[in-house]
């Protein structure tokens, strides 16, 4: 009789554990993101006129975009999408940051970027706009972030025509690039 009770309890235990194992086995795993390289050291300036370097990415995921303030094509659209990301991630506070690099750093001074940031309601504690030395930004955009800064002939209205992508880059808290995402895939 003691063995029957023991086997009966063991059977009940197994029946109770099986659903838990099934639920845990079906739970989605964290995605395994590619490592696309590392953000190298750099020294630039932000929209507040403050020095900024690669440490802006340290300790949290960061979404990176490229823009220039005189752009009248893709930049306003991608900047609105960054603003939407800022809005939709308000609940995580400073756990997710946003960084936008100017691909027209000779024109986009910190003051111009600050006005642009204000126009799109950029939260200065979460969203930084970066400008500075042209060669440094060119190396970062064309190399590290696999983007473009090709200057084409100016438009008839005098606005520069700088070819760059509408992709957002994801940088993890250890300064590794983890993905490139088409901003056109981001809806509302």
């Amino acid at each position: 009789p003691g063995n029957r009770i023991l086997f009966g309890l063991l059977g009940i235990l197994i029946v109770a554990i099986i659903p838990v194992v099934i639920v845990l086995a079906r739970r989605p795993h964290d995605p395994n993101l590619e490592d696309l390289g590392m953000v190298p050291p750099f020294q630039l300036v932000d929209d507040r006129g403050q020095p900024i370097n690669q440490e802006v990415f340290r300790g949290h995921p960061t979404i990176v975009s490229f823009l220039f303030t005189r752009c009248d094509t893709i930049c306003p659209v991608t900047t609105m999408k960054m603003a939407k990301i800022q809005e939709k991630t308000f609940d995580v506070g400073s756990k997710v940051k946003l960084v936008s690099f100017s691909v027209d750093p000779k024109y986009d001074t910190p003051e111009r970027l600050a006005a642009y940031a204000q126009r799109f309601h950029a939260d200065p504690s979460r969203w930084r706009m970066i400008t500075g030395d042209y060669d440094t930004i060119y190396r970062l955009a064309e190399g590290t972030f696999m983007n473009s800064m090709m200057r084409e002939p100016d438009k008839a209205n005098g606005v520069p025509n700088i070819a760059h992508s509408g992709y957002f880059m994801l940088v993890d808290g250890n300064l590794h690039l983890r993905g490139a995402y088409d901003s056109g895939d981001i809806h509302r």
Side-chain angles (χ1 to χ4, degrees):
N3 284 343
R4 280 186 176 170
I5 293 172
L6 185 59
F7 286 121
L9 290 173
L10 186 57
I12 291 170
L13 182 62
I14 290 172
V15 169
I17 290 177
I18 289 175
V20 172
V21 170
I22 290 172
V23 167
L24 290 176
R26 287 188 176 179
R27 189 175 131 223
H29 298 287
D30 290 337
N32 187 12
L33 299 176
E34 268 187 86
D35 189 339
L36 303 174
M38 193 161 178
V39 177
F42 65 84
Q43 290 289 329
L44 293 165
V45 64
D46 70 9
D47 52 311
R48 294 174 241 168
Q50 299 296 314
I52 197 162
N53 61 31
Q54 69 284 354
E55 293 302 311
V56 71
F57 301 112
R58 178 94 47 210
H60 47 75
T62 305
I63 300 165
V64 177
S65 70
F66 298 88
L67 57 82
F68 63 104
T69 61
R70 296 184 286 176
C71 176
D72 57 2
T73 56
I74 193 171
C75 300
V77 174
T78 57
T79 305
M80 283 189 289
K81 290 186 179 205
M82 286 285 278
K84 191 58 87 173
I85 291 170
Q86 174 185 257
E87 179 185 313
K88 289 192 177 269
T89 59
F90 77 94
D91 60 329
V92 295
S94 62
K95 291 181 183 176
V96 174
K97 303 279 186 166
L98 307 169
V99 168
S100 296
F101 284 91
S102 171
V103 293
D104 189 13
K106 290 178 181 176
Y107 179 84
D108 286 338
T109 62
E111 296 79 20
R112 286 185 174 119
L113 283 177
Y116 192 81
Q118 187 174 19
R119 180 174 150 206
F120 288 94
H121 308 288
D123 175 351
S125 69
R126 294 188 54 217
W127 190 355
R128 309 289 286 280
M129 299 205 180
I130 299 177
T131 190
D133 176 67
Y134 179 88
D135 291 334
T136 300
I137 292 179
Y138 183 85
R139 278 192 306 276
L140 287 168
E142 293 263 347
T144 303
F145 291 109
M146 302 167 277
N147 208 307
S148 173
M149 279 181 61
M150 184 173 46
R151 179 93 185 232
E152 297 174 351
D154 289 355
K155 297 178 182 179
N157 62 2
V159 172
N161 194 9
I162 302 170
H164 64 94
S165 80
Y167 277 79
F168 294 151
M169 302 299 292
L170 175 64
V171 178
D172 71 16
N174 295 315
L175 285 64
H176 290 264
L177 274 73
R178 294 301 185 158
Y181 305 91
D182 187 344
S183 65
D185 292 342
I186 297 172
H187 306 286
R188 294 184 177 202

